[in-house]
Amino acid sequence: MSNTPLHGSRPLLAIDTSTQWLSLALRHGGHTRLFHQETGSRQSELILPQIAALLDEAGLAVADLAAIAYAQGPGAFTGLRIGAGVAQGLAAPFGIPLIPIPCLDAVASLCPGQAAVLAATDARMGEVFYAWFDTQTGQRLSSYRVGKAADIRLPEKNKPGQNTDTHFSGSLKHTGIIGIGNAFALPEPPPFPGRPDMPTAKHYLALAASGRYPAVSAAEAELLYVRNKVALTAAEQAARKGAA
């Protein structure tokens, strides 16, 4: 499917279940309706009734939606599956396009017009998800990664003939660095200045409407994982505690 920008008059729904919050946003006729609440394990119970409530308020049915954006990850494993599954279930019967939005892109969007943004979120298990962005140009400067916050380093400049995933073309050491994301509220945050703000589904709406993220069919929708292991065994947990 294409990544043509969606016009403001066409209804667009966004779903973010990547954290303990259930965040839903519906844009229609120049107005945006938002449901944003910390629901914990009740996401699966509340998501469909709250989507129905937003549609009812706007006088819309699911079939009227031009597209559905969803948080693609990385994030809470169970939450991501809930959001993507609901998006697919709503979209498939009506052929509605889905727009996957990487979660760290949404976090970085809270700092527009900056040459060096570190988006970092709590990945549990003593680690964080993170990536570097240039929000002036809309480019990602590193891959999506998971690791210890203390181990985060500046992205390296491409060397001639080197095939890397970074688009960095200058020296970030002389650029003001802005950190954003709930990893900056952790007891051991990343070693850069930052604030713990997180996006809502409204920010996913904005990114989806920009046309920068390709739409896919319900059958093609996928999640973005950067960690293959989602839990530690009891022995691994004990080993970590002992090392600490």
Side-chain angles (χ1 to χ4, degrees):
M1 293 188 178
S2 67
N3 54 346
T4 304
L6 296 171
H7 299 294
S9 60
R10 304 185 64 192
L12 176 61
L13 174 70
I15 299 171
D16 176 20
T17 52
S18 62
T19 68
Q20 292 297 302
W21 292 70
L22 172 61
S23 195
L24 308 166
L26 176 66
R27 190 194 68 184
H28 175 54
H31 299 284
T32 298
R33 294 171 171 83
L34 176 68
F35 176 86
H36 185 70
Q37 183 176 312
E38 188 172 6
T39 56
S41 61
R42 298 185 65 210
Q43 283 182 335
S44 59
E45 172 190 342
L46 297 174
I47 185 169
L48 285 173
Q50 292 302 328
I51 289 174
L54 289 177
L55 291 169
D56 286 345
E57 290 175 12
L60 298 171
V62 173
D64 297 322
L65 295 172
I68 301 173
Y70 69 93
Q72 187 183 25
F77 181 77
T78 300
L80 290 174
R81 291 169 63 88
I82 291 170
V86 167
Q88 288 175 299
L90 294 175
F94 306 104
I96 299 170
L98 296 182
I99 306 176
I101 306 293
C103 297
L104 291 173
D105 293 43
V107 175
S109 74
L110 299 179
C111 301
Q114 302 296 323
V117 175
L118 171 61
T121 59
D122 185 4
R124 304 298 177 94
M125 298 167 61
E127 295 179 325
V128 299
F129 298 120
Y130 68 96
W132 289 91
F133 295 84
D134 180 342
T135 57
Q136 290 178 335
T137 62
Q139 290 182 311
R140 178 162 48 87
L141 306 178
S142 74
S143 61
Y144 302 110
R145 298 170 180 169
V146 62
K148 296 285 188 181
D151 294 337
I152 298 176
R153 298 292 182 266
L154 294 171
E156 295 181 359
K157 180 179 178 181
N158 277 356
K159 297 178 181 179
Q162 189 179 43
N163 183 19
T164 70
D165 59 359
T166 177
H167 301 283
F168 176 49
S169 59
S171 175
L172 289 183
K173 293 182 179 179
H174 303 292
T175 304
I177 295 172
I178 295 179
I180 189 74
N182 59 13
F184 289 92
L186 294 174
E188 297 181 5
F192 298 94
R195 63 181 194 272
D197 299 352
M198 290 289 285
T200 71
K202 287 175 61 176
H203 299 94
Y204 285 84
L205 275 184
L207 291 178
S210 71
R212 288 167 42 201
Y213 298 86
V216 301
S217 68
E220 297 170 316
E222 296 180 344
L223 291 173
L224 173 62
Y225 297 120
V226 298
R227 173 198 278 155
N228 293 325
K229 193 176 183 67
V230 297
L232 294 176
T233 66
E236 290 169 332
Q237 292 178 29
R240 286 203 173 189
K241 289 180 180 178

